[in-house]
Amino acid sequence: MSDFGGNLVGDGIHAARWCLEHNLIQQGYTILQETLVSYFVSGIDEKPEDLKDKNREVSRKAARIRDISTQAVKICRDSLPENKWAKPAADHPEVTRKFLAFYGPRKELLEVFNKLSNYRNDLNHAGYRQNPMKSDSFEKNLAGLIKSIERYGFHSAESE
């Protein structure tokens, strides 16, 4: 645990890299995706750790904000007008707009997130999708996603 420095994204990258090195590929994808969602949530001045709060109202709000963060990625990617937003983004347009403003200068990171989401879905659904990825690609793609996130300016304690 001493390898973790208390940096939200850096620790997530470190954990994903550890999973990659120990052939825990599916776990690496999950950790990396959840790390980016937490980064997005903290980027609009919300607290990702509220998801673990014992107060049910606080934890429900945190879960809703995490859902909106991923919906806002799609809204941003597809340039969806507000009348096409789904719930909960449509029910909380002020939060959704905060995410969209945060995502504006981070389009490359959103592309990484979209790839990560697609690969993770492919892995979690055992290839039961159109054009599934070959099994030997998951490890290589996870390594590439980690590097892409690091190129964006995030680093694990291990890579510093």
Side-chain angles (χ1 to χ4, degrees):
M1 293 305 242
S2 64
D3 291 341
F4 295 93
N7 175 283
L8 177 75
V9 178
D11 289 352
I13 291 170
H14 182 71
R17 184 182 301 328
W18 184 92
C19 288
L20 177 64
E21 290 168 357
H22 292 85
N23 205 31
L24 298 169
I25 305 304
Q26 188 272 340
Q27 293 89 336
Y29 276 97
T30 299
I31 289 169
L32 201 56
Q33 186 177 41
E34 293 300 326
T35 296
L36 285 181
V37 171
S38 292
Y39 168 70
F40 298 155
V41 169
S42 67
I44 67 159
D45 296 323
E46 293 289 341
K47 298 176 184 168
E49 65 274 9
D50 280 354
L51 192 62
K52 300 176 197 173
D53 198 290
K54 290 184 182 3
N55 179 315
R56 291 183 84 196
E57 188 57 36
V58 171
S59 63
R60 282 184 188 153
K61 177 186 175 202
R64 183 175 57 246
I65 287 172
R66 290 181 78 80
D67 288 344
I68 294 169
S69 77
T70 58
Q71 282 185 303
V73 170
K74 180 178 174 26
I75 291 167
C76 186
R77 180 192 67 208
D78 297 343
S79 300
L80 292 177
E82 200 166 325
N83 66 343
K84 300 284 186 189
W85 295 358
K87 293 182 177 195
D91 291 339
H92 303 278
E94 67 290 343
V95 175
T96 306
R97 285 188 209 101
K98 283 183 184 181
F99 280 116
L100 295 174
F102 180 75
Y103 295 160
R106 296 169 178 84
K107 301 264 187 197
E108 289 176 27
L109 191 58
L110 295 186
E111 288 177 29
V112 172
F113 182 81
N114 283 323
K115 285 181 186 177
L116 177 58
S117 297
N118 286 330
Y119 297 159
R120 181 181 175 200
N121 283 338
D122 200 2
L123 184 61
N124 287 346
H125 295 285
Y128 284 96
R129 339 170 0 138
Q130 287 186 325
N131 305 314
M133 192 167 26
K134 297 204 181 298
S135 61
D136 60 351
S137 300
F138 287 105
E139 183 176 346
K140 180 180 79 168
N141 288 336
L142 179 57
L145 290 166
I146 291 169
K147 286 180 183 173
S148 292
I149 293 169
E150 287 179 328
R151 276 194 300 272
Y152 200 82
F154 301 116
H155 301 281
S156 67
E158 173 185 86
S159 65
E160 292 177 344

